[in-house]
Amino acid sequence: MKKIILFMSLLLILTGCNKKLENNNNIDSNLDKNLEKEENDDKEKYIDDNDTILGLYLYTNSYTPRRLVTTYDGEFISNKDIVSLEVFATNEEEISGGTFQNIFPNYFNESENKHKIGFEISFATNDKNYRQIILRPSDTNTLFDFVQLYLYDDVHKPIGSWYSHVTDEEYNSDTLLTSIKLTGGTKINDITSDIKVIVFSYDEDDFDEEGYYRGISKYEAIIHRKA
């Protein structure tokens, strides 16, 4: 009889331990589900209300209209300019070729539109796919050996004055990156694809957890290697 009682006691203890372990597993599972739900909720909460239309334009001279660029054939040669693209808040096929400082405010009102302008550059080599977000001059360093990228704040320069690209030391909260120039780097021949240029307007919450732009205010142009 004592053996039976001892056996039953051990059985109850073991059953209780298993139940406790099972409950702990349930708690862990519920915590994982709650964390996953919170992450999904955060992603669903993001809504981009910035409907600024953007375009990339090719400038020729002051009397020739600027042309909207969707594709462009450029020479991929080391230390030679490939293309310069200007940013305007429009998708019109052609706009005036007049002075930038006079034309830009017709489409982008800085006092009303507080968004900044950034770029995304992507291309492939035999070894790697490159995709770089550019918000300030130092962000171009990663790609410099392949394609040199120069950023300009055209709208804040005096009309008729000579000026160069924006440096990291000059960049500040008032800087607006209104044009970008692509120049062949020393490894330009390593690029095996087209170069994709995306311009976008943004504020602080417009980037995903990997740092890439996730908003809707953007425009894309493809730069082909000229045959």
Side-chain angles (χ1 to χ4, degrees), residues 33 49 54 58 60 77 96 108 112 121 131 152 155 162 173 184 221 226:
K33 287 179 181 178
D49 58 358
L54 295 176
L58 192 65
T60 304
I77 299 174
S96 171
F108 192 101
E112 297 177 2
I121 306 295
R131 183 186 178 194
Y152 298 85
V155 73
W162 182 91
S173 59
K226 183 181 289 187

Side-chain angles (χ1 to χ4, degrees), residues 71 80 175 189 195:
T71 61
K80 183 173 182 177
T175 303
N189 287 328
I195 300 175

